[in-house]
């Protein structure tokens, strides 16, 4: 039915290290294609395995989904592979087995799920070159983002409650991150992750539920992006569980919970734990006896409802893992959002065994590095290029779809680093190019608005994935580089010796730099007979909420000079709509002079050893801030 064909993709001009591994962002702009292809050679056939049976229509849907993925996801910067997927897991150990513990029960309980079919893809970032010069995932260092598109799927979006579930009943939590959520998922990076590549507000997704699925870890980028498509927009077939239902279910499942504990390593102290659990369960029932009609919520989705859970319950103390409110407040005022306990409706499995699809789950892992070009394109494909409306019409539309699948416009999804459109240099740039005293000058006049300057090495935002770009600003002449992360000139003149002045214009709008966040670094590297020296000027504007607040500069790297914690910049406020300053540094022999708007800020006569040469410069901006720079100049004194 399906043949997998390996694709011979050659490593262009990029060179791996001595182990054959590509490091860093070497392959960011290389189209590595697919490791395999799904090729249908004959009509779809029914499929059976481990007691699961799928109709020819269902296997055909799986093949269609795989084909749509490969038509949409032409990968640059990542190596892709694809597989058909039909839920047909190997049976667990028998319930009577001594090995039937928590993990085996979790596997066995999947028999309560409906037929689930579709395809998954992996997009590998850790890449090596094989002996035959093919790209291949690096052995022993697999790092990839997974994409799943599955019909009637539950597992991708739920956390099974193993102690309550069985082969005919499926209980779970379905966590979702939403703005304003309280507690453990209320992290400062979550709103930006939800908004990554316009996921939150994409017009392509507006007709379908879409949300950020919190991962087991609360670290950044440990989450997944989910899109839910249901027939006629109906809710998923789950019912919220009341406390009375939970208690009845626990009484029924208690022997199984006991068995899982006995087979899971509690043998030596099982009698004592069992007695404590019985006592704890009675306390549990008494605590909630007047709340039997209220819905149940879980606080810790990684908590197992097991024998130990009940053995640790004590009279008069809080049961932290079960609540009857969607949001609870602790003694210290800490608020926590809880997630409802759900049960798959009866009859869903049977109705979907041969029936038409009722819902589809689209899930993409969060990026390993949101600023990596391949990950940006992968998310663009998921958000903007995949044709969700076509898929809806194909499976759920009233009229039969006869036209072939086509991805949506590819201009964004297939973005490549094209040379920036050249524009005419400014009069100042032309004049400085002819001036032998000007060793370096950049006002970005030669780069088109919205483009990334090709004469600079820049780094995408690791929050939004946006490229560094040249812009024009109201109430500010010329062009500016809108900067987050790093920017380093490629054509920087090496070994600038003697006396010189380095200056640059710096601009922020009110609110670009929140109070208390780091400023912009000008990082300078010097070298000479005395070794290497790094000098950093970190500049911040004044408090945006105080009209009279001055900015400041922090100077780092002058071990031979007396340096205060910071130096005030009265000319660089943060409260005006547009706040601008010219920062300059003069090196004369061994001395250094730092100025803001031509006013002396700092001076030291022993900053440099004799013969130190300037080797390189780099601007760095923290992701929380946004700065604009222009008119970067080095003039020989």
């Amino acid at each position: 039915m399906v043949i997998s064909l390996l694709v011979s993709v050659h490593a262009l001009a990029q060179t791996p290290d001595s182990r054959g591994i590509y490091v860093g962002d070497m392959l960011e702009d290389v189209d590595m294609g697919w490791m395999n292809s799904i090729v249908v050679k004959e009509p779809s056939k029914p499929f059976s395995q481990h007691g699961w049976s799928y109709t020819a229509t269902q296997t055909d849907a799986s093949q269609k989904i795989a084909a749509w993925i490969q038509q949409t996801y032409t990968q640059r910067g990542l190596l892709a592979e694809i597989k058909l997927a039909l839920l047909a897991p190997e049976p667990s150990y028998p319930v009577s087995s001594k090995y039937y513990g928590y993990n085996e029960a979790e596997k066995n309980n999947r028999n309560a799920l409906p037929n689930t079919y579709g395809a998954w893809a992996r997009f590998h970032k850790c890449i090596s070159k094989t002996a035959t010069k093919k790209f291949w995932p690096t052995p022993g260092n697999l790092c990839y983002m997974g994409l799943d598109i599955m019909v009637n799927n539950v597992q991708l979006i739920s956390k099974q409650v193993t102690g309550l579930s069985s082969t005919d009943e499926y209980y779970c939590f379905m966590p979702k991150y939403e703005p304003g959520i309280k507690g453990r998922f209320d992290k400062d990076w979550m709103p930006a992750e939800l908004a990554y590549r316009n996921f939150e507000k994409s017009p392509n997704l507006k007709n379908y539920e879409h949300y950020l699925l919190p991962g087991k870890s609360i670290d950044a980028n440990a989450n997944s992006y989910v899109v839910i498509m249901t027939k006629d927009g109906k809710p998923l077939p789950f019912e919220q569980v009341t406390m009375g239902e939970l208690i009845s279910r626990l009484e029924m499942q208690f022997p199984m919970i006991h068995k899982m504990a006995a087979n899971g390593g509690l043998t030596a102290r099982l009698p004592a734990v069992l007695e404590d659990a019985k006592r704890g369960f009675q306390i549990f029932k008494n605590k909630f006896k007047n709340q039997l009609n209220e819905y149940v919520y879980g606080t810790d989705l990684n908590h197992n409802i097991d024998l130990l859970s009940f053995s640790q319950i004590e009279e008069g103390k809080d049961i932290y893992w079960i609540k009857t409110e969607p949001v609870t407040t602790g003694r210290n005022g800490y608020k926590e959002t809880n997630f409802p306990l759900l049960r798959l409706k009866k009859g869903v499995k049977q109705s979907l065994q041969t029936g038409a699809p009722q819902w589809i789950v689209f899930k993409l892992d969060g990026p390993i590095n949101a600023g990596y070009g391949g990950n940006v394109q992968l998310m663009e494909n998921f958000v903007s290029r995949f044709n969700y409306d076509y898929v809806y019409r194909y499976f759920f539309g009233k009229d039969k779809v006869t036209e072939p699948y086509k991805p949506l416009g590819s201009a964004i999804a297939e973005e490549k680093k094209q040379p920036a459109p050249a524009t005419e240099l400014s009069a100042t740039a032309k004049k400085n190019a002819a001036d032998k005293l000007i060793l370096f000058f950049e006002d970005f006049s030669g780069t088109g608005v919205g483009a990334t300057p090709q004469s600079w090495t820049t780094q995408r935002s690791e929050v939004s994935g946006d490229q560094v770009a040249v812009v024009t600003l109201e109430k500010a002449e010329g062009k500016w580089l809108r900067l987050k992360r790093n920017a380093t000139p490629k054509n920087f003149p090496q070994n600038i010796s003697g006396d010189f002045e380095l200056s640059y214009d710096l601009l922020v709008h009110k609110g670009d730099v929140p109070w208390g966040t780091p400023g912009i670094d000008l990082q300078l590297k010097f070298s000479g007979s005395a070794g290497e020296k790094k000098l950093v000027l970190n500049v911040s504007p004044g408090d945006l909420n105080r009209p009279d607040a001055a900015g400041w500069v922090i100077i780092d790297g002058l071990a031979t000079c007396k340096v205060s914690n910071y130096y005030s910049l009265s000319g660089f406020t943060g409260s005006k709509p547009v706040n601008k300053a010219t920062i300059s540094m003069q090196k004369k022999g061994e001395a250094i002079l730092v100025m803001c708007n031509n006013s002396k800020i700092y001076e030291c006569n022993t900053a440099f050893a004799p013969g130190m040469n300037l080797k390189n410069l780099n601007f760095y901006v923290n992701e929380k801030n946004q700065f604009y720079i222009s008119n970067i100049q080095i003039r020989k004194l």
Side-chain angles (χ1 to χ4, degrees), residues 468 481-487 520 619 621 626-627 629:
V468 170
L481 187 67
R482 182 181 62 210
L483 184 59
K484 288 189 176 185
R485 307 298 291 174
N486 290 291
I520 179 173
F619 289 96
V621 174
Q626 182 165 276
F627 284 84
I629 56 174

Side-chain angles (χ1 to χ4, degrees), residues 494-512:
Q494 293 292 299
N495 297 319
I496 296 179
S497 59
D499 299 339
F500 64 86
E501 180 184 54
L502 186 157
S503 63
Y504 63 98
D505 288 343
L506 187 59
L507 184 150
V508 295
H509 297 110
K510 183 177 182 179
D512 280 347

Side-chain angles (χ1 to χ4, degrees), residues 177 181 183-192 218-220 334:
Y177 169 80
I181 196 171
R184 70 194 64 203
F185 298 122
D186 182 18
K187 303 299 179 183
D188 57 2
W189 62 77
M190 294 290 271
I218 59 174
D219 296 332
Y334 179 80

Side-chain angles (χ1 to χ4, degrees), residues 492-496 525-527 532 613-617:
F492 189 79
Q494 293 292 299
N495 297 319
I496 296 179
K525 181 179 178 181
F526 293 85
S527 68
E532 291 192 349
N613 298 330
L614 179 60
K615 300 282 290 184
N616 200 1
L617 70 82

Side-chain angles (χ1 to χ4, degrees), residues 308-434:
L308 284 175
S309 301
F310 292 101
S311 70
Q312 294 167 354
I313 295 176
E314 297 182 23
E315 192 73 57
K317 292 190 176 181
D318 182 51
I319 303 174
Y320 77 92
W321 44 271
I322 284 291
K323 302 295 179 183
T324 54
E325 306 90 24
V327 179
T328 49
T329 304
R331 292 179 182 177
N332 60 356
Y334 179 80
K335 292 187 177 182
E336 182 74 53
T337 297
N338 309 313
F339 297 100
L341 177 63
L342 303 173
R343 178 179 58 81
L344 185 65
K345 289 183 176 180
K346 293 184 182 296
V348 172
K349 176 180 175 66
Q350 293 73 20
S351 67
L352 296 179
Q353 192 162 2
T354 58
Q358 293 299 302
W359 74 91
I360 305 174
V361 173
F362 307 77
K363 180 183 175 185
L364 178 67
D365 292 344
I368 296 172
N369 179 343
Y372 180 70
N375 295 346
V376 171
Q377 190 201 41
L378 176 60
M379 190 63 175
E380 293 283 1
N381 287 333
F382 185 74
V383 173
S384 303
R385 194 165 187 241
F386 192 86
N387 196 334
Y388 292 93
D389 289 346
Y390 176 93
V391 175
Y392 183 89
R393 289 191 299 110
Y394 185 89
F395 286 114
F396 305 130
K398 296 179 180 178
D399 300 321
K400 183 177 181 181
V401 174
T402 57
E403 78 274 17
Y405 171 88
K406 288 184 179 180
L408 301 178
S410 60
I412 296 177
E414 293 183 347
E415 171 200 3
K416 294 183 183 292
K417 287 185 178 178
Q418 300 291 348
T423 57
E424 186 177 358
L425 293 177
S426 66
T428 302
K430 291 178 180 178
K431 177 182 176 182
N432 287 341

Side-chain angles (χ1 to χ4, degrees), residues 166-401:
S166 63
T167 57
D168 58 358
E169 293 278 13
Y170 189 84
Y171 289 79
C172 65
F173 294 106
M174 286 188 177
K176 299 177 183 179
Y177 169 80
E178 296 176 347
I181 196 171
K182 304 298 181 183
R184 70 194 64 203
F185 298 122
D186 182 18
K187 303 299 179 183
D188 57 2
W189 62 77
M190 294 290 271
E193 196 167 351
L194 178 65
Y196 182 56
R197 310 315 298 170
N198 202 36
F199 174 78
E200 183 181 16
K201 298 180 180 179
S202 168
N204 193 33
L205 303 177
K206 66 179 181 180
N207 295 327
Y208 314 105
E209 183 181 9
H210 53 289
Y211 58 89
L212 198 61
L213 176 66
K216 291 183 179 180
S217 167
I218 59 174
D219 296 332
N221 300 330
N223 309 305
S224 300
Y225 297 93
V226 170
V227 178
I228 306 290
M229 180 183 294
T230 63
K231 185 177 181 180
D232 299 327
K234 295 179 180 179
L236 294 175
F238 288 85
E239 296 175 329
Q240 202 165 341
V241 177
T242 65
M243 183 58 70
E245 292 175 282
L246 173 61
I247 291 174
S248 296
R249 185 65 181 176
L250 284 169
E251 290 175 333
M252 179 184 299
Q253 286 291 106
F254 211 83
M256 179 59 67
I257 292 174
H258 175 216
K259 180 178 182 60
M260 287 190 291
N263 293 338
L266 283 176
T267 307
R269 55 193 182 100
L270 185 61
V273 173
L274 178 59
E275 288 305 311
D276 286 343
K278 289 178 179 179
R279 175 188 49 78
F281 185 39
Q282 189 59 49
I283 296 173
F284 183 93
K285 291 193 290 184
N286 291 337
K287 178 179 176 62
F288 293 108
K289 64 182 179 181
N290 296 323
Q291 298 171 278
L292 299 181
N293 293 323
E294 296 184 18
Y295 288 125
V296 177
Y297 297 84
T299 59
D300 183 356
L301 302 184
N302 295 317
H303 179 84
N304 298 322
I305 299 180
D306 53 17
L307 210 64
L308 284 175
S309 301
F310 292 101
S311 70
Q312 294 167 354
I313 295 176
E314 297 182 23
E315 192 73 57
K317 292 190 176 181
D318 182 51
I319 303 174
Y320 77 92
W321 44 271
I322 284 291
K323 302 295 179 183
T324 54
E325 306 90 24
V327 179
T328 49
T329 304
R331 292 179 182 177
N332 60 356
Y334 179 80
K335 292 187 177 182
E336 182 74 53
T337 297
N338 309 313
F339 297 100
L341 177 63
L342 303 173
R343 178 179 58 81
L344 185 65
K345 289 183 176 180
K346 293 184 182 296
V348 172
K349 176 180 175 66
Q350 293 73 20
S351 67
L352 296 179
Q353 192 162 2
T354 58
Q358 293 299 302
W359 74 91
I360 305 174
V361 173
F362 307 77
K363 180 183 175 185
L364 178 67
D365 292 344
I368 296 172
N369 179 343
Y372 180 70
N375 295 346
V376 171
Q377 190 201 41
L378 176 60
M379 190 63 175
E380 293 283 1
N381 287 333
F382 185 74
V383 173
S384 303
R385 194 165 187 241
F386 192 86
N387 196 334
Y388 292 93
D389 289 346
Y390 176 93
V391 175
Y392 183 89
R393 289 191 299 110
Y394 185 89
F395 286 114
F396 305 130
K398 296 179 180 178
D399 300 321
K400 183 177 181 181
V401 174

